[in-house]
Amino acid sequence: MGKFITLEGIEGVGKTSNLRYIKELLESSGHDCVVTREPGGTNLGEALRGLLLSHSDDNMSADSELLMMFAARAEHLSKVILPALENDQTVLCDRFTEATYAYQGGGRLLDVDKISELEEWVQGELRPDLTIILDAPVEIGRARAGSRSEPDRIEKEQDDFFQRVRSAYIELADHYPHRICLVDASKEFVAVQQQIQEQLVEYDILNS
Ligand code: TMP
């Protein structure tokens, strides 16, 4: 089985550029990488992503949102993630179930037991080998994201929503230190990269 690595964080913490950096690091040490994202990564998943992030259903219920995240995930696991892992490839995924705990559990205040039941159903025993959470205060994320583009249905939430998302991520890292780490993304880009590299070594993904 290949390694399964996921990257998380609130908006503006540098997920996109650090994903590219991780991919380069992994490939230069011989990993055959599949880079993908959630919600998305398959035809059905990308269509669900469109519905989840567009403003056409601005008042979508939190339960519908949760179930669509997991519908996209079930498709992604069966069509992309599991076949790649079985083929000894390294899967690098931009967000996964930890985002559901953070956004739907923390942000939307949904019952965490509902999320863990779906996690069990859709994933069985499968958990990422390593989840890197890029952590920074909400104000810093907001300032960095700036007015990059028109906010989507989730990005348009207020700061208190993102404070809860951030706290939920921090709690996840506290609960599962054997597979989830926090990286201080408020630092300069090079210092963030340095921490990421150290964590990849620490969690036995890269050799020292
Ligand atoms: P992004 O990955 O392009 O940042 O956007 C995806 C959005 O979807 C982001 O606002 C986080 C949100 N999301 C959830 O709310 N729950 C989830 O389970 C996942 C994977 C993403």
Side-chain angles (χ1 to χ4, degrees):
M1 283 287 268
K3 295 284 185 192
F4 183 22
I5 302 163
T6 63
L7 189 64
E8 300 279 355
I10 57 171
E11 205 208 350
V13 291
K15 217 159 38 73
T16 308
S17 42
N18 283 302
L19 194 80
R20 220 175 299 129
Y21 171 69
I22 296 171
K23 177 177 184 274
E24 282 164 14
L25 270 184
L26 292 169
E27 287 182 342
S28 62
S29 73
H31 287 252
D32 176 6
C33 287
V34 172
V35 181
T36 185
R37 69 172 179 182
E38 290 212 349
T42 62
N43 287 340
L44 176 63
E46 291 295 329
L48 287 169
R49 180 187 179 92
L51 293 171
L52 279 160
L53 301 185
S54 85
H55 292 282
S56 56
D57 284 292
D58 260 342
N59 60 356
M60 177 187 299
S61 82
D63 278 345
S64 309
E65 183 179 283
L66 171 66
L67 290 166
M68 283 168 71
M69 292 293 176
F70 270 101
R73 185 160 300 136
E75 188 73 3
H76 197 203
L77 278 164
S78 74
K79 299 275 166 58
V80 176
I81 298 176
L82 289 173
L85 293 176
E86 278 156 14
N87 198 25
D88 287 333
Q89 289 172 295
T90 298
V91 175
L92 180 56
C93 192
D94 183 345
R95 298 192 188 280
F96 193 63
T97 305
E98 283 57 42
T100 314
Y101 281 103
Y103 282 79
Q104 281 66 51
R108 302 275 189 237
L109 299 168
L110 281 180
D111 183 354
V112 169
D113 290 343
K114 284 186 180 171
I115 303 174
S116 56
E117 276 173 35
L118 289 166
E119 181 181 40
E120 208 60 39
W121 179 22
V122 170
Q123 292 167 229
E125 306 266 280
L126 182 81
R127 300 291 179 275
D129 294 291
L130 173 62
T131 297
I132 297 175
I133 299 173
L134 299 173
D135 176 61
V138 172
E139 315 77 72
I140 292 187
R142 277 242 189 258
R144 285 201 193 145
S147 48
R148 235 174 0 207
S149 55
E150 183 67 15
D152 63 38
R153 196 181 59 84
I154 297 177
E155 286 165 352
K156 74 166 185 15
E157 290 297 335
Q158 302 298 308
D159 281 1
D160 58 337
F161 175 92
F162 291 104
Q163 297 288 5
R164 293 196 299 277
V165 172
R166 183 187 181 208
S167 303
Y169 272 138
I170 294 171
E171 255 177 57
L172 285 167
D174 278 350
H175 270 88
Y176 303 103
H178 60 289
R179 64 174 181 87
I180 304 181
C181 70
L182 279 188
V183 158
D184 181 355
S186 63
K187 299 224 162 82
E188 290 294 310
F189 193 57
V190 176
V192 176
Q193 289 185 333
Q194 171 86 28
Q195 292 175 72
I196 290 175
Q197 181 168 22
E198 285 166 7
Q199 296 295 352
L200 288 168
V201 171
E202 180 82 23
Y203 285 83
D204 271 343
I205 307 288
L206 289 181
N207 295 322
S208 44

